Every structure is written in structure tokens, then in C-alpha cells.
Amino acid sequence: MGQTAITRRALFGAAAGAGGLAVLAGGARLAGAGSPHGGPPDHGAGHDVAHAGTRGAVDHRRNGFDPHEILTDWDRGRTRRLPGGRVLREWEVVAEEKEIEVAPGVYYPAWTYNGRVPGPTFRATQGDLLRIRFRNGTAHPHTMHFHGLHRSVADGSVGTGPGGGVAPGGEHVYEFTAAPFGLHLYHCHTFPLAAHIAKGLYGAFVIDPPGGRPDAHEIVLVQNGFDTNFDKSNEVYAVNTVAFAYMDRPIPVRRGEPLRVYLVNVLEYDLLNSFHLHGNFFHHYPTGTSLEPSELTDTVAQVQGQRGILEMTFPDTGTYMFHAHQSEFAELGWTGLFQVS
């Protein structure tokens, strides 16, 4: 059966023409036998797709991760006290090639850290010693580059030493001190950069201040997208990978309880992303490196690599929407709901 290239504009028009949450089905298929970005063959080709703007069930067990579990799945690593009392945190991370379902019936040949997109949400306290043993289980060179303060040999980028290009089957240990406190991210820094990020090699990285933050219900939202036909333009947009995951199953929130959102943008192929909250405002802490908010607002914009902490409280019960305030992104999957009870 022939394959049809699916463009973002065509999908957007179809979704908008059917009210914005249409199911596009019947005949549409993922295009291409391989990735021009140097990736593996597109194993998603040949699957029937219900593309952007879709609603329905994604098989989270097949994916190996659930967007609702990612919200609060803080990976603090294995810990032990060193002489002098300092905390050592250790992780083992494997880069793997894996097909994932990013919308109902839409399969994407991803590159993953520990089998999921986004990768684990690492969490530490400022001053901890961090040790990440990275193994490359793919057929392509990869690295782990952490945003934050560290020596150049721990940077995970080209020209900085052995960790700047881990060959297939190879491994490297990245070691550095957690600093500064705030919200950060990590990603593969192998060229071509756009391809390695777009394929899924990224995650959030939280460093708590030594005294912690005030009590709150905390969640992480990693903004991302997927170029399913490899034309360097995304056809699916999401937070935590699966389009409309939090429309179909709203995020539960308790009325009057502080909610803290760790918001990270790693979207590739688009210059800007954003977060807009309906019916409420939030305090915004850019990068989370200050304990004082910069503004009270209902919308923030982020370029790739920008991040911020959003703190809010819902005084009333009800269902409150949040989404990208680029309408196209919202219609193609980057929309969710908070269910306040």
C-alpha cells in the first residue's frame, strides 16, 4: 500500500476544520523508509495513523512509560554519604533506539534515555556530588550534556574530552557538583544537534535549594514535539510526549493546595513555545534560580532550553485548561486540563 506524506499544515487544516479535536483516519500513513537526519529506518512507516488533533488511547505499556507517571516520577538516584557528610547520587543511563506511540496510532522511531521520552527527571540538592554512568546502546554516537555549573570535562559536548562523543557500545561517567539550584535540563550534544534532540534524547534536571522550597504538589512538564515525516517540521506537539494526554485524563489538583509546575522547553524545529493557563494566574520563577518570582502572569514564552517554575493555587473547583498559546501547537496536541476538586 502506498504511503502519503503528512504535512503539519494539512493536519492543522483538517483538525481545525473539524472543530480542532478531529480524528484524522483512513489512509494516512507515516512517510519515509528512513530518516534524513542519520537515524534508524522509520519503523513507524506502514502504520495507520490518526494524526494530530486526535483523541483516543495510546498504549502506555507498549511505550514503557505513562505521561501521568512522568509528572511526579522524580529520579533521585542511589545515594550514600561520603566522608565529611556530602551526599553522592549515582545513576545508570542507557541510550536506546525505541519505537514510541506519540498519538493514537502514530508511531515514532525515537532515541531514548532509559527507554522513555523525556528521559528520567533527575533530582538532587545543591552541593550533592552527581555521578552518571552513561552507556550508548545505539548505532550512533551520543552524549549527555547537563545545563548548570561544571568543569568542561563533564560538559558532554564535542571537544571537551571522552564524554563529548560516546561511540556505539561505549560508556562514560559524568561527574560534577549539583549547582546552581533551580530547574535545568540535559540532552544529547552530538551533531547534528537538531536531529539528536528531535529524536528524544533530553530530560528535566531539578536541583533543590539547600533548605528546600515551600511545600506544594509538584509536577514536571517537558514541552516537546515530533517530526513524524522527517521534513524538519513537527506534526505532533505535546508535553511529556503524548499528544492530548492530559485532555483525555486531566491532571488532578486539590482546591487551595499550592501547585508547583517545573516547565521545560526542548521543542525542536520551532523557535518559540509557551504555556498559558485559563482562569487563573501563577508566579513565574525563570530558571528557578531565585526564590523570589519575577512576575504574576497567566502566560510565559520559552525558547529551546529555557525553563521556569510556575506556582499557583486554585481557589475554586472545576476544570481549567492549559496549553501552548501558539494555536497551531495547541490544536496538534499541546493542550491539557487541570481537574480541581
Side-chain angles (χ1 to χ4, degrees), residues 27-269:
R29 310 176 78 82
L30 295 183
S35 168
H37 308 325
D42 179 1
H43 300 298
H47 286 282
D48 288 327
V49 300
H51 230 95
T54 62
R55 303 284 297 281
V58 163
D59 189 344
H60 302 307
R61 286 190 298 178
R62 180 185 183 278
N63 275 351
F65 59 88
D66 184 331
H68 283 78
E69 295 175 358
I70 286 176
L71 289 171
T72 57
D73 186 12
W74 316 106
D75 190 341
R76 293 177 168 84
R78 300 186 309 275
T79 63
R80 59 187 173 92
R81 290 278 178 180
L82 298 173
R86 190 181 188 190
V87 172
L88 169 66
R89 296 184 185 273
E90 297 180 281
W91 293 271
E92 293 186 4
V93 179
V94 180
E96 304 171 280
E97 299 178 7
K98 183 177 183 180
E99 182 184 77
I100 61 174
E101 190 177 8
V102 298
V106 182
Y107 297 88
Y108 183 77
W111 293 339
T112 72
Y113 289 126
N114 284 359
R116 52 175 263 188
V117 179
T121 302
F122 298 121
R123 191 155 190 174
T125 299
Q126 182 172 287
D128 291 348
L129 179 62
L130 311 184
R131 185 177 294 159
I132 303 98
R133 183 176 298 277
F134 171 64
R135 182 168 62 85
N136 185 0
T138 78
H140 307 271
H142 294 303
T143 72
M144 296 187 72
H145 165 66
F146 287 82
H147 286 219
L149 300 175
H150 48 250
R151 297 171 59 219
S152 65
V153 293
D155 196 61
S157 57
V158 175
T160 58
V166 182
E171 66 176 49
H172 181 76
V173 176
Y174 299 96
E175 185 170 302
F176 54 94
T177 297
F181 72 78
L183 172 59
H184 309 298
L185 67 152
Y186 63 93
H187 58 87
C188 182
H189 212 289
T190 304
F191 292 101
L193 294 176
H196 286 250
I197 292 177
K199 294 282 281 183
L201 289 173
Y202 48 75
F205 172 38
V206 177
I207 300 179
D208 293 314
R213 297 182 186 272
D215 289 342
H217 176 54
E218 297 184 320
I219 63 173
V220 64
L221 297 177
V222 176
Q223 302 173 98
N224 54 359
F226 298 92
D227 172 19
T228 59
N229 63 5
F230 306 113
D231 65 351
K232 298 186 179 180
S233 179
N234 296 305
E235 287 71 53
V236 174
Y237 292 84
V239 280
N240 297 341
T241 297
V242 177
F244 295 115
Y246 307 118
M247 285 290 289
D248 296 316
R249 291 169 56 200
I251 298 172
V253 179
R254 293 180 63 88
R255 179 174 61 87
E257 180 182 37
L259 174 66
R260 181 174 297 124
V261 178
Y262 293 90
L263 180 72
V264 180
N265 181 33
V266 288
L267 179 65
E268 192 56 78
Y269 303 129

